[in-house]
Amino acid sequence: MASFDEILSKPSVFRNINVLSPHYIPQELPFREEQTSRIIRVISPALQQQKPRNLFIYGKTGTGKTCTVKRLMRDFNSRTPGASMCYINCRIYNSRYRLLQKVLKEYIPSMDKSGFGLPYLYEKLLEYLGKGIQIILVLDEIDMVKDLDELIYTLTRANDELEHGGITILGISNRLSFKNELDPRSKSSLYETELVFPPYTSNQLQHILKQRVEEGFNEGAIDSSAVNLTSAITAQDSGDARYALKLIMKAGEIAENRGKLKISDEDVELARKKVEVDILHETISTLPEHHQVVLLSVSNLSIPGAPQYVRLDGESTSEGFLLLGEIYEEYSKICGKCGKKPRSSRWFKEYLNDLEMLGLLTTKMSSKGVRGHTTLIKLGHEPGDIIPLVEKNFFK
Ligand SMILES: Nc1ncnc2c1ncn2[C@@H]1O[C@H](COP(=O)(O)OP(=O)(O)OP(=O)(O)O)[C@@H](O)[C@H]1O
Ligand SMILES: [Mg+2]
């Protein structure tokens, strides 16, 4: 039987595993100096009691949006009681009501009860800000807010009513199409200023990883070859720093489980397979409903032997590409089955774009056939890996 002493004294590849966690905020964030300065320039008027413009940050997953904002928040919040940044994860606080309640709880301890109506929350917010306080409301994963138009409207109205103080939205999202889902007034308000976080290149990832590896692993536990391989794999797939960190952490665990104290390239390769499955699970379960249904439609039609339309050309059939129209039909069918109204084909195309951005499928234009050019779609994973996951999320 293993004892605590035995487990704790066992040599490990890890020096400090927390450093490799996706929630760790490093002191230095290389390659994000420019983005950090832009954000500081936009929000600094709040420190002088002026209302900044709203800011919208967009970038693919793992490009450092959350950690960049969280890092400068510490500094901002230590400066004056008259201005503060309030971080909200909209995956959890996903409606106007829940969000306002959360914000007020942060600032007014007596609001720590539930059951207040929206008008009361609104009055309290005005009262608090009216003392001349500037709040920068960081809405991370803002696309998850169900009634975002209403939220933006409420906050805009609050600012209009206030003589002193104000509330500024700093929205963050990795979903490009979400912009078009907003009504035009909220859109122009939210996008007063925009900032893009580009994906990291392989060299940049190498640099980021080296820094984390030095703190996270024991000396000699990993060499530059495994770090370089991790960066190369990640850059080729996505440029997602979170993926790179996951990969290297998993490689460490695999090496340890194999009784080794040094991570080899082979461990990285083995970790890659495991991490991909984990990530697929995460990605799918956090997709909005219609995205999931679209993905399910593509997956259903990708099962070997599924009924398919007559192909435009032999080439697309053999590569497993599907026609846009047949997917839309399947999508409408599934919507019907679960009592949902299918969205128009314009939305449907946006969803396909998002799914492609997330690496869940690929699209290409057909060579000119009988019916001219058309979009062909192919699933990026095994249908068998996807279908049970979506069905579990969806048809609970
Ligand atoms: N420039 C960087 N230097 C060091 N670590 C970084 C850097 N950029 C990102 N990371 C690390 O990568 C991970 C992912 O970053 P972060 O959570 O900020 O991504 P994100 O852009 O918010 O992604 P998502 O859209 O999925 O929320 C974190 O562990 C973070 O510490
Ligand atoms: Mg984030």
Side-chain angles (χ1 to χ4, degrees), residues 237-238 243 272-284 287 295-304 319-322 354-363 377-390:
D237 282 355
S238 59
Y243 177 91
R272 179 186 191 168
K273 295 206 181 72
K274 286 222 155 79
V275 170
E276 261 157 31
V277 175
D278 285 358
I279 289 186
L280 187 63
H281 280 222
E282 261 169 50
T283 315
I284 292 179
L287 282 175
L295 185 64
L296 182 60
S297 327
V298 181
S299 308
N300 281 347
L301 297 175
S302 304
I303 299 172
E319 290 173 9
F321 277 93
L322 300 160
D354 288 335
L355 295 173
E356 184 172 27
M357 295 275 289
L358 291 167
L360 293 166
L361 42 88
T362 52
T363 67
I377 292 110
K378 182 180 172 174
L379 196 62
H381 297 265
E382 289 301 314
D385 288 344
I386 292 182
I387 295 169
L389 275 175
V390 179

Side-chain angles (χ1 to χ4, degrees), residues 65-66 140-141 172 242:
K65 302 180 296 296
T66 300
D140 202 354
E141 313 206 24
I172 304 177
R242 184 185 299 114

Side-chain angles (χ1 to χ4, degrees), residues 42 45-46 49-54 134 159 165-169 192:
V42 174
Q49 267 63 61
Q50 285 158 20
K51 185 182 159 343
R53 290 154 71 86
N54 291 335
Q134 292 288 343
N159 283 320
I167 187 156
T168 301
I169 306 175
E192 276 178 337

Side-chain angles (χ1 to χ4, degrees), residues 83-121:
S84 82
M85 286 173 88
C86 177
Y87 178 89
I88 309 265
N89 181 343
C90 300
R91 188 163 289 177
I92 303 170
Y93 302 96
N94 61 358
S95 71
R96 171 174 66 171
Y97 182 80
R98 297 179 76 180
L99 247 148
L100 288 179
Q101 197 183 31
K102 168 75 179 159
V103 175
L104 286 163
K105 266 189 204 173
E106 290 284 310
Y107 295 103
I108 313 171
S110 66
M111 297 294 290
D112 194 15
K113 293 188 204 96
S114 50
F116 297 117
L118 189 65
Y120 184 75
L121 295 183

Side-chain angles (χ1 to χ4, degrees), residues 21-24 26 28-32 59-68 140-141 174 200 208 211-212 241-242 245:
S21 135
H23 304 294
Y24 179 81
E28 299 289 321
L29 286 176
F31 317 111
R32 286 300 174 245
K60 285 190 181 180
T61 186
T63 49
K65 302 180 296 296
T66 300
C67 62
T68 301
D140 202 354
E141 313 206 24
N174 58 25
Y200 295 116
I208 292 170
Q211 198 180 41
R212 298 283 270 266
R242 184 185 299 114
L245 287 162

